[in-house]
Every structure is written in C-alpha cells, then in structure tokens.
Amino acid sequence: MLKAVIVDDEPKAIQSLIWEINNFSEEIEVMASFTNPDEALTFLNSNTPDCLFLDVQMPTIGGFQFLEQLNDINFAVVITTAYDEYAIKALKHEATDYLLKPIDSDDLKDCILKIKKHSERSISTHKLERMLINFNAQFDKKKITINTDGKLLFLDIDEIIYIESDGNYSTLYLQNQKKIVITKKLKEVDAILPEHYFFRIHNSYIINLNKIKAFIKNEGYVIMDSDHKIPVARQRKSDFLEKL
C-alpha cells in the first residue's frame, strides 16, 4: 500500500482528492493531509511518504517554495492546481505528475501508475545504495559513505579535517582547502563517523582527532591542521581530554 500526503490550503479540495483516491484506487492510502504548509513541512521532514499531492497556490507559501524547504525529497511529487500555466515549472522541479483541478478520474489513474513506477525505482535504488554502503564498510575501514543530494560520496577519513553545523546542513572541511556542503544535520553525520577518529567537540563542530595541531587549554580551543580554530565546549572538555 502506497502512503500519500496531501497539502492544500482548501479543505474542500483535500476532501475531493481523498474521495477520488478512495473510489478509484485501492493502492494508495492518505496518511496525512494539511491546510497549513508549515505543519506539513514539519511532518515531511520526519516522515517519508511514497507520494505528495501538493497545491501550487497557497497564501502563506507557494508549492514550489514549499519543495525548496524540504530537507530531502525521497518520494513522488504530484502538483495539483486549477491553472495549467504551472505545468512547465512543475517539470523543472522534477515533479512526477501534474493534475489539473477539478481532478479527472482517468488522469488520477494514470498518475497513480506513475507513482507506482517511481516507488519501484526508489526501492531498487535504495537496495543498491545499501549494498554499496555495506560493501564499503566491510572492505574499506578508512572510508566513510555519505548519501546526499541523490549521490553517494566515498570519502577517505584522512581527508576530513572537521565538520561544521549549519542548521539542517553540514559542511565538511577537507584537505587542500576543499569543502562539501551536505543536506544532513550534524547529529546525522556524527552517527556515521567512526568514534575512534572523530569527536563532537562542540554543538556546532566535529573534529578529526588526527588533524589537531594544538590545544590551547587556557582559551579553550583547538587549532586544526588547516589552521582553523575550533572551540571546545565546556561540558565536553573532560571527554575530549580522555580521547587525547
């Protein structure tokens, strides 16, 4: 059973779409619906449906702006609107389909077939990703695998000097003054890093313990190989000293 979320500022439009889905498909279940985009964003950033039916024109935030605020889009997106002028923009945002209100039952049936194909492709891709990640973890202990923006990054541990938090994003600072911005919170990055090499020294920073050049005790910061100064959080200082 495919799980769907509906976001539309008009309650009647939501009721109508739910009725259409219930009457013309036994393969989709509406797990949640929202007239408030902010509530929908909160829900989608911690839950992953198979598809999202999204109205384009909403008073507080437009549908395309809504998509840009999501951390990850790992589901089919179906744009719903009463105006056909948004079709090209929907394609540019890689929407799976586009439904014109009032929604025609035949169009909805075709749309559901596209959602099913998208879901099947996602499952196959996920299996391949897991295989690659497990293979890498098993045979190369000096590399980590990061899944971000539709691609897998295989990074040497020795390349990473430190990681800095930026809200829902993290920046990896590498050797040779390179850096990579990924759509993961620092907590998520910390969970995939080997503890033997890395330490979360501050709420906003994780450091590679092998890349510390100096620890300035009285001022409470470390100097990394890149010459960046990273603060040591007071409550983490004793754990940090134990690591050293």
Side-chain angles (χ1 to χ4, degrees):
M1 180 73 77
L2 299 172
K3 304 288 186 181
V5 170
I6 303 173
V7 181
D8 196 313
D9 64 301
E10 298 180 10
K12 287 184 178 179
I14 291 176
Q15 292 169 10
S16 175
L17 181 52
I18 290 174
W19 186 89
E20 291 280 352
I21 290 172
N22 290 340
N23 279 274
F24 293 102
S25 176
E26 296 179 350
E27 298 168 293
I28 292 188
E29 176 188 350
V30 178
M31 64 187 297
S33 61
F34 300 91
T35 55
N36 184 320
D38 291 327
E39 292 177 3
L41 282 170
T42 300
F43 180 85
L44 289 169
N45 281 328
S46 57
N47 295 274
T48 304
D50 297 294
C51 61
L52 167 66
F53 291 93
L54 177 64
D55 184 27
V56 175
Q57 287 192 314
M58 295 182 287
T60 55
I61 178 174
F64 299 116
Q65 290 174 302
F66 180 92
L67 292 174
E68 290 168 2
Q69 292 188 34
L70 287 169
N71 291 343
D72 287 301
I73 302 178
N74 299 321
F75 43 79
V77 176
V78 178
I79 298 298
T80 62
T81 180
Y83 306 94
D84 59 5
E85 64 196 70
Y86 294 104
I88 293 176
K89 199 167 183 180
L91 291 174
K92 287 182 178 179
H93 279 74
E94 298 183 7
T96 302
D97 207 355
Y98 177 91
L99 292 175
L100 197 61
K101 299 177 184 178
I103 294 171
D104 179 80
S105 57
D106 288 332
D107 289 342
L108 180 60
K109 289 175 185 176
D110 291 340
C111 175
I112 290 168
L113 288 175
K114 292 178 183 178
I115 292 169
K116 285 179 65 178
K117 288 179 181 178
H118 182 281
S119 180
E120 288 165 3
R121 283 197 303 270
S122 295
I123 291 169
S124 298
T125 301
H126 180 71
K127 285 182 179 177
L128 176 60
E129 287 177 359
R130 292 308 313 164
M131 183 181 74
L132 287 169
I133 290 170
N134 291 336
F135 180 86
N136 184 60
Q138 183 177 356
F139 294 103
D140 196 339
K141 304 298 183 183
K142 296 286 286 180
K143 285 191 179 228
I144 62 164
T145 308
I146 293 176
N147 186 346
T148 183
D149 289 340
K151 59 185 176 184
L152 291 176
L153 301 177
F154 298 94
L155 297 175
D156 286 322
I157 287 171
D158 289 338
E159 280 187 86
I160 304 168
I161 298 174
Y162 70 96
I163 304 105
E164 181 178 11
S165 171
D166 183 16
N168 290 325
Y169 298 84
S170 295
T171 302
L172 282 69
Y173 289 84
L174 311 178
Q175 302 280 20
N176 303 321
Q177 298 184 336
K178 294 180 181 178
K179 64 181 182 180
I180 299 172
V181 178
I182 61 173
T183 53
K184 285 186 182 296
K185 295 179 181 179
L186 198 64
K187 182 180 180 180
E188 297 174 85
V189 179
D190 193 27
I192 62 174
L193 294 173
E195 291 182 17
H196 183 70
Y197 293 96
F198 293 90
F199 182 74
R200 188 164 182 178
I201 202 167
H202 186 279
N203 279 343
S204 299
Y205 295 97
I206 298 170
I207 62 168
N208 187 333
L209 295 167
N210 292 327
K211 300 296 179 180
I212 300 172
K213 185 186 289 186
F215 172 38
I216 313 303
K217 294 182 183 179
N218 57 337
E219 295 185 37
Y221 65 84
V222 294
I223 301 175
M224 307 303 293
D225 282 353
S226 58
D227 290 326
H228 287 95
K229 296 179 181 179
I230 308 295
V232 181
R234 192 174 303 171
Q235 65 271 27
R236 300 175 191 264
K237 187 174 180 179
S238 59
D239 289 339
F240 172 60
L241 291 173
E242 283 183 20
K243 281 279 187 181
L244 293 179

